[in-house]
Amino acid sequence: NALHYAHSSGIVHRDLKPSNVMIGPFGEVYLVDWGLAMSLRPGEHRVPSARDNTEIIGTPSFLAPEMLTSEGERLGAHTDVYLLGSTLYTLLTGHPPHTGANVMAVLFNAINGTREYPEDAPCELVSLTERAMQMEPADRFPTADALRLAVQAFLEHRGSSQMAEGASERLVELERLMAEGA
C-alpha cells in the first residue's frame, strides 16, 4: 500500500528489502529508508529526478536489472515491483536473490543468475515472485498494487490449496495400495 501511494505520487523507493520493512506493535507495516527515492515527475518533488540518475546505486543483492545502468529514464514503478519480488524471494528462501563472493559476482548474478526455491515453497507464491522479478519490466506485474492483490488472493485461498494438495497425495497413496491389493 505504501508503494502504491508513492507510485501514484510519482515517487519510486529504489531500495526495498526486508530490512526496510518494519512491523509496528499493532501489526502496522512501515516502509522506511527513502534515502534513494527519486521522482518520476521532474520538478514536482524535492527529491532527485529519476531521469537525471547517472549512478548505479542500491543494495546489490536486491537490484532490479534496470538499476544496473546509469540510464535513469529506465527506472519506474516497475523497478519497485522487482524489488518487492526480491523481498518476497528472501522471505521464501531465507537469503537475497543475488548472491556472490564479491560485489562483481553479485552484480553478475543480478543479470545472469538463476533462482532456486525450497521444495516446500508454495508453487503459486514462487510463480508470483518469479513474475515480479522478470528481467523485462513489461513482463512483471503492472503495479505494486497488482502484486499486492495477487499475494492477498493467494493468502485467502491457500488453505483450500493445501487441502487439495493433501487430497491428491492421499489419492496417489490409495491408488498405490489398491494396485498392491491392500
Side-chain angles (χ1 to χ4, degrees):
N1 287 333
L3 276 180
H4 182 61
Y5 175 76
H7 294 165
S8 71
S9 299
I11 301 290
V12 288
H13 188 283
R14 296 189 326 141
D15 199 24
L16 290 168
K17 55 189 174 185
S19 62
N20 284 341
V21 179
M22 301 290 158
I23 310 294
F26 298 101
E28 64 276 19
V29 179
Y30 298 98
L31 184 54
V32 300
D33 191 1
W34 291 81
L36 298 182
M38 293 194 128
S39 174
L40 298 174
R41 301 178 190 155
E44 191 174 314
H45 302 96
R46 289 190 235 172
V47 296
S49 171
R51 186 174 61 189
D52 298 335
N53 182 61
T54 59
E55 297 178 302
I56 299 172
I57 56 174
T59 304
S61 297
F62 293 90
L63 290 178
E66 61 271 17
M67 295 173 76
L68 294 170
T69 72
S70 56
E71 302 166 21
E73 65 275 357
R74 295 187 62 203
L75 301 174
H78 56 269
T79 304
D80 283 347
V81 168
Y82 184 97
L83 298 174
L84 279 173
S86 293
T87 300
L88 189 53
Y89 178 88
T90 303
L91 294 174
L92 288 169
T93 66
H95 58 82
H98 315 308
T99 59
N102 56 49
V103 174
M104 290 308 291
V106 171
L107 296 177
F108 177 83
N109 285 330
I111 296 174
N112 301 306
T114 58
R115 294 181 286 275
E116 295 183 14
Y117 295 84
E119 257 184 52
D120 62 345
C123 293
E124 186 177 353
L125 209 47
V126 168
S127 180
L128 296 176
T129 303
E130 284 297 305
R131 181 174 173 198
M133 294 180 67
Q134 288 295 301
M135 292 294 287
E136 291 298 323
D139 296 334
R140 299 176 196 157
F141 284 91
T143 64
D145 198 49
L147 175 55
R148 180 191 63 81
L149 291 171
V151 171
Q152 183 177 330
F154 164 77
L155 292 173
E156 288 173 358
H157 70 264
R158 73 176 164 178
S160 300
S161 296
Q162 289 170 338
M163 190 182 317
E165 285 177 26
S168 293
E169 290 169 5
R170 286 191 296 280
L171 177 61
V172 168
E173 178 65 14
L174 178 60
E175 288 172 339
R176 184 189 64 75
L177 290 172
M178 289 177 62
E180 293 174 358

